[in-house]
Structures are given as structure tokens and as C-alpha cells.
Amino acid sequence: MIQITQQMIDALAPNPAASSNARKISQKGGFIRLERSADETFYLGECTGSGASRYITSADFLDPAVPVFRCSCPSHQFPCKHSLALLCEMMAGKPFAVCDIPDDILQKRAKKAARAAKSESDGDGAEAPKAPPKVNRAARTKKLQRQLEGLELTARLVQDLMNAGLGTMGGTALATYRTLAKQLGDYYLPGPQRLLNRLILEISAFQKDGDDAHYESAIDVLEKLWALVKKSRQYLTEKVESGRVEQDASLLFEELGGVWKLSELEALGLAKQNARLAQLSFWVAFDAARGEYIDTGCWADLDTGEVSLTYHYRPVKALKYVKQEDTFFGAARIPALAYYPGEGSRRVRWESAELLPLEPGDLDGLRRCAASDLAAEVKAAKNLLKNTLSGPAVYRLLRFARIGRAGDVLALQDTVGGTIALGDLPGMEPTTARLTLLPDPSLLESQVLLGAFWYDGAERRMKLQPLSIVTADQVVRLLY
């Protein structure tokens, strides 16, 4: 039988209520018939519904990474609670009578196989290389030129602020800057638009409470906005003048607000086949400048130890339509993993994945991949963070000898005597103090830490925020 876990059911559910209702259906004996195919790729159940209604629900696991659910109920949710309840029956080990796969399912499988066959280059089963997406050169050139016009407007604004000082943004002038921020959307520049909105929010907060931290943050945002404008003007000008307007692997595309398609990332070679990832940490943050909640997963490649991030954006205006992501404690087997351009802890995305429990030895493999030279990792992280357009932190797996007090702070010591202060990245949920609450002192000796390197500008030194401790048999999450 296909291995089903509660994690898998919760991940597939469109919302927590659907998962909860599915458990109730299963626990109350809602199924009067359960069947499966001999090869265990197809499962079917007949479930009682409201009144005299009965629903036929099925799960097709021909491709375990992309199970197909069908149900005769009128629900618009997908998968519906009856489909999820069928999974609950499987997870509970209920007996399923052996049946033939229905003809309509076999026909659907055949059509899907025929579509897949068209993607093969020849009869030997090799897949044809994906052609790069077609580019409307005239439309792309027009858009780039429009972006350049918007960047010129932004450059004048930033130069005026640098000459006159951020204090000139105060009072009634904020309304003018809000209007300018809205205008940037007309120039296809949502990235600079968000930075300007963040600048406005920091100055507004400074006016209310006088906290210098807001003013310092505003300076950082202004520096990033200026760096983005300078680099983007040069980048876009070269593309327009050379006529090479096709998409490339530049970080600036996303920084300006572009949205990558998976096919575009694959065409640029930013992909990995048959990847296996384990989520080691998870958090949710609200970005006021974007008006969105961001669900962030921190994942480690079980084969290489590389740490990557997933981002799931939920606009405030559409919260009831967008499902929140959740912590996942198993492993994901991903047929095609796409990487975003960049260095350090890159963003990743995928269309489908088979969700599985962690296998024996997976954590040992991660521990073997962890870095042991703290000085080298700090140097590498510092070089990455020097880039004004980089993210605020670099995530790494690090082997350590001990974690303990060093004066007034908690510090990590590596296996060769190097040390680094532990501290919480501004804007992140605090985790450092949670190390002192761990009931097992052995977790603070000779283990592997998932941590976020970041630069503390006030103290002028690198720090490390602890996120998880990876032992030989468990992941102890400080943030999940």
C-alpha cells in the first residue's frame, strides 16, 4: 500500500478545516466500500454524504509525485474532504478489496501517456531538450525602455533625497512620495516600488516614535534603492542597445519585480532532476511594504547538504483565497527542481513532489555534509552579504563542538576553536534564547546547527542565528 502520513494529508489539504473534516469522516466510519488495484496505484472509496447521498472518490498514484484525486461530490475544494478521508483510511491501514482499474481511469492514463510521448525527441525514450520560451522582441524592448524611463524618475528622486536629506520626506511630503511610489507600477517596476514603500514606512515610523533604528533602516533601504537603480540602468541599457532582450540569469530581473516561470529557469539550466530535500526550519513574516505574508521554508538537499529557501506569498487582500504553507517534517522527492539565479542560499521551486518520511541515514548524510571550518564560512557569508542587493542572511549547516556562554552572550565554538556570537536577525522571530530551554544538554555539544549568518551593523560584526539542531536521529527546530 502507498505510504500515507498525516504530514502528506495536511500538505495536500486546501485548508485546515478540510483535513479536520476528513479525519472525522474516517473516524466515524464514513466509507461503506474500499477498493484498490492489484498494483496499488489506484484506490477507490464509496462514502456516505449528506442525507441519502453517496460519493465515489478515488486517488490515482500512477505518478506518486503527482497523485490525481477525483470525487463525485459537488465541492469546489480540491482535493475535497472525501478524497482526503480516503487517504486517512489508507493511513489507518483499513482493508481494501482488490478491484480492476475502471476503464475511464485507464483511458485518462492513456491520454496522459500520449501527451508525454510527444515530448520525447525520438523512439529511444530520451526526452527532448526544452526549447527556450519564445520572445516577442518588440514587446520586450518596449517594456525595457519603459522600465528605463521609470528608473530615471527613481534616480532623480533618490538623488534629491541624498542631497536634501531624509528629513525632507517628513510631514506633508510623504503624500507626494506615496504618489510617486504608485507611479512606479506604471513603469513595470514593482521592485523599486516596494523599496520606496519600505522607505516611506520607516520614515513614518521614525516620525511617530523617534527611534533611531527606523532612521538607520531608512538609510539602508535608500542605499539598496540607489544600488538597484544604478545597476539596473546599466543592465537594461546594454540589453536595449545590443538587441539581446532575451531573458538571462541576472539577479536584477527579480529585483526589479519580474516573476520567473519554471520553464524559463529550466531553459537557463537552473534545474536539478530527482532532488531530495528535507525541510529543517519554517517561519512566517509580514512584509508591510509588499502587503503580503511570506511563508518561508528552509530546506537542505539530502545528497549535498546545500541549503535553499522556498517563498510562498499571500497578499493581505487575498488571504481567504490563498492557502498558507505549513511546517513539513518529512522529505520531498522532487522530479524537477528549479533554482532561482543568485549565490548563497538560493530560492527553489517545483511543480510536484512525492512527500515521504525521512529515511534512516538521511540525517547522518546531512551531518556529513555540514561545514566544519567556521572561519571559512564566516568569510564566505560576509562576502555574499557585501552585495547591497543580497538578502539579509546566508543559511548554512555547520558542525560545532559546543554552544555555551561567552561572557554576556551565547556563542558557538567550532571543532578547531573558532567562535561566533549567536544573535537574532532583526525582523526574525527570536530563537537564540530558546537554546537555554533545551532539556537535553547533549544537544549543545558535538552536533550540527542550521544557522543564519548576518551582519550586525550596530556591533560591526557577524553573528549567527540558530534555527535547528540536526542530530543523528532527529531535527530539533527552534523556529518552525
Side-chain angles (χ1 to χ4, degrees), residues 151-207:
L151 289 172
E152 290 298 330
L153 173 65
T154 309
R156 291 195 297 270
L157 180 151
V158 174
Q159 288 172 336
D160 289 344
L161 284 175
M162 290 192 296
N163 292 331
L166 286 174
T168 59
M169 288 186 68
T172 58
L174 280 175
T176 302
Y177 286 103
R178 291 190 181 98
T179 300
L180 290 171
K182 290 181 180 179
Q183 290 178 357
L184 291 182
D186 299 330
Y187 293 95
Y188 308 105
L189 294 174
Q193 183 183 51
R194 287 193 291 266
L195 286 174
L196 183 53
N197 282 331
R198 188 165 290 121
L199 180 62
I200 293 169
L201 288 171
E202 293 292 351
I203 292 298
S204 297
F206 176 70
Q207 289 181 329

Side-chain angles (χ1 to χ4, degrees), residues 129-166:
K130 292 188 177 182
K134 293 183 179 180
V135 177
N136 185 326
R137 301 179 65 83
R140 180 70 66 86
T141 300
K142 185 176 180 180
K143 180 179 179 179
L144 297 182
Q145 290 171 336
R146 184 65 172 164
Q147 286 181 311
L148 281 169
E149 293 174 10
L151 289 172
E152 290 298 330
L153 173 65
T154 309
R156 291 195 297 270
L157 180 151
V158 174
Q159 288 172 336
D160 289 344
L161 284 175
M162 290 192 296
N163 292 331
L166 286 174

Side-chain angles (χ1 to χ4, degrees), residues 259-281:
V259 178
W260 285 103
K261 297 179 181 178
L262 288 178
S263 59
E264 293 172 334
L265 295 171
E266 291 170 357
L268 291 170
L270 299 172
K272 179 178 180 178
Q273 306 300 313
N274 300 316
R276 293 193 313 132
L277 303 185
Q279 190 187 91
L280 301 183
S281 188

